[in-house]
Amino acid sequence: MTHPAQLKAEADALIARGKALIAADLPQATDLLNQAVKLYWAAGDYYSAAAQTGNYGWALRRMGRPDLARPYLARAAEIFADLGLADFAERHRAAAEDIAADLTPEFLASLPPAVRQAIEQGDGAALQFAINGLPPAEQQQVIDRLAAIGLISIAESEEDASHAVQQFEPLLQAIAAVARGDESERADVERALDDLERKGWRIRKAVRQIWQGERRRQRLTYGLDEVDTAIVNRILDLLA
C-alpha cells in the first residue's frame, strides 16, 4: 500500500502541473485536478481535497468563467462543511451562489460606497483603505468577491491557515490548558482530536507530544502541511 505522504506528494505535483496549464489547456488542467483530488482522498487528506477543489474554482472565476467555477466552489463548500469548517464552507458556498463575475454596474452598485468609489477612480491605495475600514465579516466578503473577478489577489494558503486557527481557537485554548496541567477537559479534547484525525487533520500526534513536554517547533511540525503547522504553532504560542 502506498504511504499517505507519497500519495499527497503525488497529488501536490499534479496540482502544480494543473496550475501551469489552466490558462492554456483547461481540459488537461481539470483532469490533473481530478486525479489529484482522488489521491488526496486516498491519503486521507480531506482538507487538501477541499482546498484544492476550491482553489480551482477561484482560479476559474478569476479567468472570467463563473459558469465553470460554481461546481468546484460548491463541492469545496460541501467538503469543508463535512470537516466542520463552517467559515470555509460559507465562503465557498457564497462564492458559488454569487452570479456577479465582472465589474458590471450592478456589481459595482452592490459594493460599499467607499470601495466602489476607489474602484471607479482606479485608486489602489484608496481601495485598500476602504476595505480595511469595513467590519471584519463584510471585509472578507468584499475581498472574496473582488478576488473572484481578478481585481485583487489573496494569499490563499496563508489566509486558510489563519481562518483555521481562528475557527479552532476554543479547542486550542483547551489543548493548552491540558498542557498546563488542567485535566478537566482532557477527555473532551481527546475525542475532538480523534474526530479531526478521521477528517484528515494531522495534529493529534503533535498535541500528545506537547502534553508530554515537547516544545521544539521544528520537531512538532515536521511533515505537517501549512494549515496543521499553523495550528500547532498557535498552541505553542499559547504556552509561551
Side-chain angles (χ1 to χ4, degrees), residues 179 205-221 232 235-236 239:
K205 179 180 178 181
V207 168
R208 289 175 175 169
Q209 290 176 328
I210 289 171
W211 286 346
Q212 293 168 0
E214 180 62 68
R215 295 293 186 271
R216 288 172 290 182
R217 292 177 188 264
Q218 186 173 5
R219 181 169 183 176
L220 289 166
T221 60
V232 172
I235 298 169
L236 293 173
L239 295 170

Side-chain angles (χ1 to χ4, degrees), residues 69-88:
R70 288 190 191 100
Y72 295 99
L73 293 167
R75 178 56 180 152
E78 292 174 359
I79 303 173
F80 279 131
D82 289 341
L83 292 174
L85 293 173
D87 290 347
F88 285 49

Side-chain angles (χ1 to χ4, degrees), residues 19 47 55 58 62 88 91 140 143-144 147 152-163 226-227:
K19 287 181 178 178
Y47 174 84
N55 288 347
W58 288 114
R62 287 191 288 270
F88 285 49
R91 286 176 55 216
Q140 187 59 59
I143 288 172
D144 287 344
I152 63 174
S153 61
I154 55 177
E156 290 168 339
S157 59
E158 293 180 5
E159 185 177 88
D160 285 351
S162 176
H163 272 281
E226 188 168 355
V227 178

